Amino acid sequence: TVRWGLIGASTIARQFVINAIRAQPNSEITAVMSSSPERAAAYAKENGIALAVSTLDALLGSGIDAVYISTTNELHLEQALAAITAGKHVLCEKPLALTSADARKMVAAAKAAGLVLGTNHHLRNAGSHRAMREAIAAGRIGKPIAARVFHSVYLPENLQGWRITRPEAGGGVVLDITVHDADTLRFVLGDDPLEVSAFTQAAGMASGGLEDGAMCIWRFKSGIIAQSHEGFTTKFAGTGFEVHGSEGSLIAKDVMTQKPIGSVLLRTAKGEEELSFDREDLYVRSLRQFHAAIGGEGQPSATGEDGVWSLTSAEAALQSAKSGKSVAIDPTL
Ligand code: NDP
């Protein structure tokens, strides 16, 4: 049995990850930690978790094997390093840390300790994105030329907190959504970005110097160019992911989401074909891969190194927006 401790009484754990852990055979959630004892107790009760604690030491000493970290972003580094020192496997939310240098420290610590570190980039687990990746790898669009990612949403009212007000907590749409887009582009294209050029905006929701919208242009090693749009302020935009190649285009709609929904269309000289794909819960699949990795089989669907890549990419986008110049992406892994 893998016994889990939750670090952070968060929305994402309540909405998706607690269920995903419990969907695995031989797994249980032993304890939850919140910085507030009252919130820990209320969260434990609401979610049927036996033990509520308010310090990291108490959580790490509660007989657990793995932790899921879903606190605000400035806390991930210290909590992950403490968990690794205590010999626990770590599934950490994105961004892994506030800087890629800190994220590299987490990867190095887990490697030295022989522990599994995963980044919860859920979109890699979507059947839609896996179908696109497979179609590209199978040559169904010929040589990939360009990609477009549409990932500008409206941040739900219950999440209009630290993301739009607290730079010190790692707020802003780039650390929130651009990291996912950078990771999903790498995954679907099977390629790594070399440089990015970005504009950001504050379109009325974010304060404190944070951005609530971003447009990025990426150049990949193979020569593919890509554009991505991330936002918190567009109520009616819809999401999508397109890859255009010499022999065909993949046009996916409603796929930049937490749910196993959406559609993927392949358009070639032969006509149009809707690709079928599996509709498994993204987080359940993520946790299954993580459990397998703990058991010595394969890797988490997004590794710590993948988390370094996505954070390095987001960091470069922020630097580009600030400097007005394109910025090289080098995760130095
Ligand atoms: P929340 O705002 O729900 O939770 C983050 C922290 O805020 C909690 O750990 C909690 O601290 C504190 N908090 C929560 N509710 C309250 C409250 N009512 N009053 C005071 N403090 C409160 O964050 P999210 O779940 O949206 O995000 C958490 C992490 O997960 C982030 O790193 C984010 O980037 C990531 N994320 C990833 C997603 C994915 O699909 N991969 C989706 C959404 C988020 P404490 O634990 O001390 O109680």
Side-chain angles (χ1 to χ4, degrees):
T1 298
V2 180
R3 285 158 302 173
W4 284 86
L6 307 183
I7 301 183
S10 71
T11 308
I12 174 75
R14 189 176 60 229
Q15 289 184 335
F16 293 98
V17 178
I18 289 174
N19 169 64
I21 293 173
R22 288 183 172 148
Q24 309 307 318
N26 305 322
S27 82
E28 69 181 46
I29 301 174
T30 306
V32 59
M33 187 208 108
S34 162
S35 58
S36 139
E38 295 75 37
R39 209 159 51 237
Y43 197 93
K45 190 169 173 212
E46 179 199 345
N47 295 290
I49 300 167
L51 182 65
V53 299
S54 59
T55 67
L56 201 49
D57 282 348
L59 185 91
L60 296 174
S62 66
I64 54 172
D65 307 298
V67 298
Y68 168 60
I69 300 177
S70 63
T71 47
T72 48
N73 304 328
E74 84 285 15
L75 300 173
H76 297 174
L77 170 72
E78 188 193 326
Q79 292 168 338
L81 292 181
I84 290 165
T85 302
K88 316 300 178 196
H89 302 288
V90 176
L91 178 59
C92 187
E93 270 305 340
K94 41 49 69 170
L96 282 185
L98 295 186
T99 68
S100 55
D102 283 348
R104 274 193 295 276
K105 286 183 202 158
M106 294 160 69
V107 169
K111 202 170 172 188
L115 294 163
V116 178
L117 170 66
T119 312
N120 203 25
H121 278 308
H122 60 290
L123 291 165
R124 285 179 175 238
N125 296 288
S128 52
H129 293 294
R130 286 187 290 127
M132 281 192 281
R133 177 181 162 96
E134 280 159 26
I136 292 167
R140 298 197 71 188
I141 63 166
K143 184 177 155 37
I145 296 166
R148 305 174 190 160
V149 181
F150 308 90
H151 200 172
S152 182
V153 298
Y154 188 74
L155 189 66
E157 240 159 74
N158 67 314
L159 294 182
Q160 291 180 19
W162 59 270
R163 276 181 180 76
I164 54 167
T165 56
R166 293 188 57 215
E168 69 283 5
V173 78
V174 172
L175 287 185
D176 199 52
I177 304 185
T178 307
V179 285
H180 280 312
D181 292 349
D183 183 68
T184 311
L185 279 164
R186 283 185 64 235
F187 176 73
V188 170
L189 299 174
D191 198 356
D192 292 325
L194 283 180
E195 64 174 320
V196 61
S197 197
F199 284 152
T200 58
Q201 67 183 167
M205 188 185 277
S207 58
L210 288 172
E211 78 291 343
D212 55 26
M215 289 221 187
C216 306
I217 307 171
W218 311 85
R219 184 191 303 283
F220 282 76
K221 280 185 186 141
S222 68
I224 296 173
I225 54 175
Q227 63 185 43
S228 68
H229 178 200
E230 297 86 23
F232 287 153
T233 64
T234 53
K235 283 191 176 141
F236 308 104
T239 72
F241 196 113
E242 300 178 356
V243 186
H244 305 284
S246 57
E247 310 298 326
S249 285
L250 286 164
I251 297 164
K253 292 200 171 125
D254 293 332
V255 294
M256 306 310 285
T257 155
Q258 297 177 293
K259 306 228 168 92
I261 59 173
S263 60
V264 181
L265 180 80
L266 171 66
R267 185 183 294 145
T268 65
K270 286 192 204 132
E272 293 189 338
E273 178 190 340
E274 283 287 343
L275 300 189
S276 65
F277 53 86
D278 101 61
R279 304 271 171 176
E280 185 180 15
D281 181 291
L282 282 60
Y283 298 88
V284 170
R285 185 175 185 280
S286 169
L287 263 293
R288 188 168 66 245
Q289 300 268 119
F290 194 87
H291 271 221
I294 291 177
E297 272 174 57
Q299 305 244 18
S301 42
T303 60
E305 284 85 351
D306 292 319
V308 172
W309 263 107
S310 65
L311 180 51
T312 306
S313 305
E315 220 169 44
L318 285 170
Q319 268 173 36
S320 168
K322 211 169 168 184
S323 67
K325 299 196 163 95
S326 94
V327 174
I329 298 167
D330 179 6
T332 58
L333 282 166

